[in-house]
Amino acid sequence: MLSKNEAKYIQSLFHKKQRDALNLFIVEGVKGVDELLNSSIQVQKIYALDNWEHPKMHKAPLVRISESALQQVSGLQTPNKVLAIATQPVMDVKPPVKGQWILALDGIKDPGNMGTLIRIADWFGIQQIVASEDSVEFFNPKVIQSTMGSFARVAVSYTSLLNYLSATELPVLGALLNGNSIYQQPSLQEGVLLIGNESNGISDNLLPLISLPVSIPRMGGAESLNAAVAGGILLSHLLKPR
């Protein structure tokens, strides 16, 4: 059974102010909760239908609830069997490391784009994303949902990109409409790929820090590419297998 107070408590975690105050976040759905339980992230509580099972379900207190109760507290149009509450892991800003790739995100606002970029980073083995302080919050439920479980493997830290990029010795590749064709850019073993805001691109104050401007040549009539799509295409050409 789910009490009214507990239902209100769960619903409150869909608001950033409450998530920050309690240092918690929500993970929904079979895939997301599976990745959560298989990670080192601390799980506080699980709310699940009777037909949901998991080998590690005993890592946290489990409350069995009805479909109507799950619908009541879910942020999804079609809830998927289980919802979990977890402690926000600490994601401190780490200095760039030689021999690694880092994804830098400047003013990414859309939760779906942020989640997809995290998923793309995970696909290419990038474990660290550095985001500007005005980018959408990592623990936003829509971001977590869009990562399709990659939130458990990729750390996203928020900082001044001006300071961060100024301090790095790695090449900084910026996604620009007037950059050099990515098809002519040799693969690199390390670097920072900077992706800009969905509408305005990379901030003017960061442009001087870009050592290698890159672009995806347009062959058709589309005005622009989605930020996450562009990030995926660029990484596929930059991170060719050794």
Side-chain angles (χ1 to χ4, degrees), residues 37 43 46 48 52-62 64:
L37 290 172
V43 186
I46 302 169
W52 177 83
E53 301 286 339
H54 193 280
K56 297 183 180 180
M57 57 194 288
H58 301 296
K59 285 182 70 173
L62 172 64
R64 293 293 185 183

Side-chain angles (χ1 to χ4, degrees), residues 33-73:
V33 174
D34 173 66
E35 297 283 4
L36 175 67
L37 290 172
N38 285 315
S39 75
S40 60
I41 299 172
Q42 184 179 1
V43 186
Q44 296 291 333
K45 208 160 190 178
I46 302 169
Y47 301 86
L49 304 183
D50 289 337
N51 61 355
W52 177 83
E53 301 286 339
H54 193 280
K56 297 183 180 180
M57 57 194 288
H58 301 296
K59 285 182 70 173
L62 172 64
V63 178
R64 293 293 185 183
I65 60 175
S66 65
E67 286 190 29
S68 60
L70 182 60
Q71 180 75 52
Q72 178 188 358
V73 298

Side-chain angles (χ1 to χ4, degrees), residues 58-125:
H58 301 296
K59 285 182 70 173
L62 172 64
V63 178
R64 293 293 185 183
I65 60 175
S66 65
E67 286 190 29
S68 60
L70 182 60
Q71 180 75 52
Q72 178 188 358
V73 298
S74 173
L76 304 176
Q77 285 190 338
T78 307
N80 189 3
K81 291 189 179 183
V82 60
L83 177 153
I85 295 173
T87 300
Q88 295 183 9
V90 176
M91 297 183 181
D92 293 328
V93 180
K94 296 179 181 179
V97 177
K98 296 288 288 181
Q100 290 188 356
W101 272 95
I102 294 165
L103 187 60
L105 306 178
D106 177 28
I108 297 298
K109 302 294 189 183
D110 182 78
N113 278 340
M114 176 64 84
T116 302
L117 283 161
I118 293 168
R119 188 178 177 187
I120 288 169
D122 189 24
W123 178 266
F124 287 103

Side-chain angles (χ1 to χ4, degrees), residues 84-162:
I85 295 173
T87 300
Q88 295 183 9
V90 176
M91 297 183 181
D92 293 328
V93 180
K94 296 179 181 179
V97 177
K98 296 288 288 181
Q100 290 188 356
W101 272 95
I102 294 165
L103 187 60
L105 306 178
D106 177 28
I108 297 298
K109 302 294 189 183
D110 182 78
N113 278 340
M114 176 64 84
T116 302
L117 283 161
I118 293 168
R119 188 178 177 187
I120 288 169
D122 189 24
W123 178 266
F124 287 103
I126 296 174
Q127 298 178 336
Q128 183 181 358
I129 292 177
V130 180
S132 62
E133 293 162 325
D134 61 343
S135 293
V136 64
E137 174 212 11
F138 176 79
F139 297 108
N140 180 308
K142 292 181 180 178
V143 172
I144 295 296
Q145 188 69 27
S146 297
T147 70
M148 293 298 291
S150 292
F151 70 87
R153 286 179 294 276
V154 178
V156 181
S157 52
Y158 292 78
T159 190
S160 163
L161 289 184
L162 182 63

